[in-house]
Amino acid sequence: MRIETHKQYDKMWARLSRKQQIQVLAALKLFLEGQYKEKLRVHQLKGKYFPQYSISAGGDLRIHFLQLDEDKIVLMMVGTHNQLYS
């Protein structure tokens, strides 16, 4: 699977603490390995973020991505619940 990042994701990534960056990388690794059904709570978003999906990276940390096709996703945003939904 190919992963690309949106410029907004890159900016938000730079603002994360080192600990949060490690959490995000661990969640993405599980996602790519296909071990994500329950632990990562992957689900499609509604409203203004439709058709993006959300991954829980632990605690209050979320990753939003867009599935372009079976082999390609674009990471759109990353941050805490409040940062993403306010």
Side-chain angles (χ1 to χ4, degrees), residues 5-86:
T5 59
H6 188 275
K7 65 182 177 180
Q8 184 176 12
Y9 177 91
D10 296 334
K11 288 178 185 178
M12 296 176 88
W13 168 265
R15 291 186 213 129
L16 295 177
S17 70
R18 182 71 181 135
K19 180 181 176 183
Q20 289 173 319
Q21 289 178 347
I22 291 169
Q23 286 178 276
V24 168
L25 292 175
L28 289 173
K29 183 178 182 221
L30 286 175
F31 178 75
L32 291 174
E33 291 172 351
Q35 303 174 17
Y36 61 86
K37 298 218 185 261
E38 294 144 13
K39 185 172 184 172
L40 300 179
R41 297 186 298 241
V42 177
H43 62 280
Q44 190 166 34
L45 299 169
K46 298 177 183 177
K48 72 178 186 177
Y49 294 115
F50 181 82
Q52 295 180 30
Y53 290 80
S54 178
I55 297 172
S56 175
D60 198 27
L61 198 55
R62 304 285 184 272
I63 306 163
H64 285 188
F65 72 93
L66 187 60
Q67 181 96 34
L68 296 182
D69 59 41
E70 198 172 294
D71 295 324
K72 183 177 176 184
I73 65 170
V74 178
L75 302 177
M76 301 299 290
M77 296 190 299
V78 62
T80 64
H81 193 273
N82 283 342
Q83 291 169 331
L84 296 177
Y85 300 109
S86 54

